[in-house]
Amino acid sequence: MPQAFNMKDKVIVITGASRGIGRGLATYFAEQGAHVVALARNLEQLKALQTEILANGGACSCHPLDVRDVPSIQGVFDSIVAELGRIDILINNAGMGKPIPAIDITESDWDEMMSLNMKGTFFCAQAAARHMLPKQYGRIVNISSQAAVIAIDGEAIYCSSKGGINQLTKVLALEWSKQGVTVNAVGPTFTYTPGTAERLDNPEFRAGVLANIPRGRIGSIEDIATAVQFLAADSSDMVNGAFLLTDGGWTII
Ligand SMILES: NC(=O)c1ccc[n+]([C@@H]2O[C@H](COP(=O)([O-])OP(=O)(O)OC[C@H]3O[C@@H](n4cnc5c(N)ncnc54)[C@H](O)[C@@H]3O)[C@@H](O)[C@H]2O)c1
């Protein structure tokens, strides 16, 4: 019987892999035996990640990609397939949050976050699916957020973008699963990364976060990685269009 959740030799593409959750996912899946393809803007940071993974006996390639640069996306995914023959799994992780009171949001604030969180997610999914659909196999996991289903003060754009990702996940799941490509999303709660360090290092903010999490701790990258692994596994073939929260129960109260 095949081992459940086996990632050995899977080709996993991860966007925003240079730091934070994306970097953590890259090292986690390399340890599981996958061939990780790390994408981000900063090639130097990606090379450092690659060196670390290779030194630990893992497999890793890296390519520079700014997911806001839509015309460049397909070429990067084409070159991954030219190098490795296929893409089994795409983890759409690149994203940002920046608290701004709604009354002060400018058009450029809106475009900056939406083009990264939503547009980048869609066009990376499309570029991967163009290779997955002809092979009748693929797994796409979008890193959404608990912010997709709750309101967070000062996060009008972020919450909108993550809510949009959840809807996008469902439509892509509907369209592409007929050809073997499932699409799902994970919704983490606050997790300590360079993107959240400044806020979580503030004791008052951290206490406010913890007060909302019945499980009593902030999230870890491993919480997210194991949820992604479940959705990315062969054995989860009937899980399609799902939103798997790793929020310690924030959204149940
Ligand atoms: N950290 C949390 O508390 C938390 C909670 C829920 C969801 N998330 C989501 O997880 C994902 C990663 O968050 P994080 O906390 O690790 O963030 P981070 O800021 O620490 O890292 C973001 C990553 O995205 C990359 N990136 C940024 N702009 C990019 C671009 N234009 N093109 C390509 N890559 C780009 C960065 O280089 C970096 O690797 C995001 O989608 C975020 O919304 C994070």
Side-chain angles (χ1 to χ4, degrees):
M1 196 158 88
Q3 196 198 334
F5 316 122
N6 187 7
M7 293 289 124
K8 183 131 183 57
D9 298 327
K10 294 286 187 189
V11 175
I12 303 188
V13 178
I14 305 173
T15 67
S18 60
R19 66 179 212 185
I21 292 167
R23 193 181 204 284
L25 293 174
T27 53
Y28 176 90
F29 285 108
E31 281 163 16
Q32 303 284 315
H35 186 118
V36 169
V37 184
L39 308 179
R41 288 165 302 171
N42 188 321
L43 190 57
E44 209 176 301
Q45 286 176 331
L46 288 178
K47 288 277 178 202
L49 168 67
Q50 183 185 38
T51 303
E52 187 183 309
I53 289 176
L54 297 180
N56 289 325
C60 180
S61 323
C62 53
H63 299 260
L65 175 67
D66 183 337
V67 303
R68 288 192 189 111
D69 182 11
V70 172
S72 74
I73 293 175
Q74 191 68 56
V76 170
F77 281 75
D78 293 352
S79 63
I80 295 165
V81 174
E83 180 195 346
L84 299 169
R86 65 190 196 280
I87 296 168
D88 297 309
I89 298 161
L90 166 66
I91 306 173
N92 261 317
N93 165 78
M96 66 174 288
K98 184 164 76 175
I100 315 170
I103 205 71
D104 297 327
I105 288 169
T106 64
E107 184 179 4
S108 97
D109 295 328
W110 180 272
D111 289 344
E112 183 191 19
M113 218 181 298
M114 280 295 183
S115 66
L116 173 56
N117 295 6
M118 276 225 72
K119 198 161 78 172
T121 294
F122 172 70
F123 282 102
C124 287
Q126 184 193 59
R130 284 179 174 154
H131 292 285
M132 291 171 168
L133 294 172
K135 292 189 185 300
Q136 302 273 309
Y137 182 84
R139 298 279 183 263
I140 297 175
V141 182
N142 296 324
I143 304 300
S144 177
S145 167
Q146 63 181 13
V149 291
I150 54 167
I152 301 180
D153 207 344
E155 298 281 7
I157 316 174
Y158 187 71
C159 292
S160 304
S161 72
K162 295 298 183 176
I165 285 175
N166 282 20
Q167 277 296 94
L168 178 64
T169 299
K170 291 199 275 187
V171 176
L172 301 184
L174 178 65
E175 290 194 22
W176 295 344
S177 58
K178 294 160 194 151
Q179 289 161 267
V181 177
T182 64
V183 188
N184 292 285
V186 171
T189 188
F190 279 95
T191 305
Y192 193 85
T193 66
T196 54
E198 198 181 320
R199 280 171 287 164
L200 288 173
D201 283 339
N202 173 341
E204 205 180 317
F205 184 87
R206 196 186 183 93
V209 166
L210 287 172
N212 278 305
I213 303 177
R215 187 66 192 85
R217 63 175 176 84
I218 62 164
S220 71
I221 290 176
E222 198 169 274
D223 297 326
I224 302 166
T226 49
V228 171
Q229 184 173 5
F230 169 69
L231 296 170
D234 289 349
S235 44
S236 301
D237 193 55
M238 283 295 274
V239 184
N240 189 35
F243 177 48
L244 180 53
L245 281 154
T246 59
D247 67 349
W250 183 311
T251 58
I252 59 180
I253 47 177

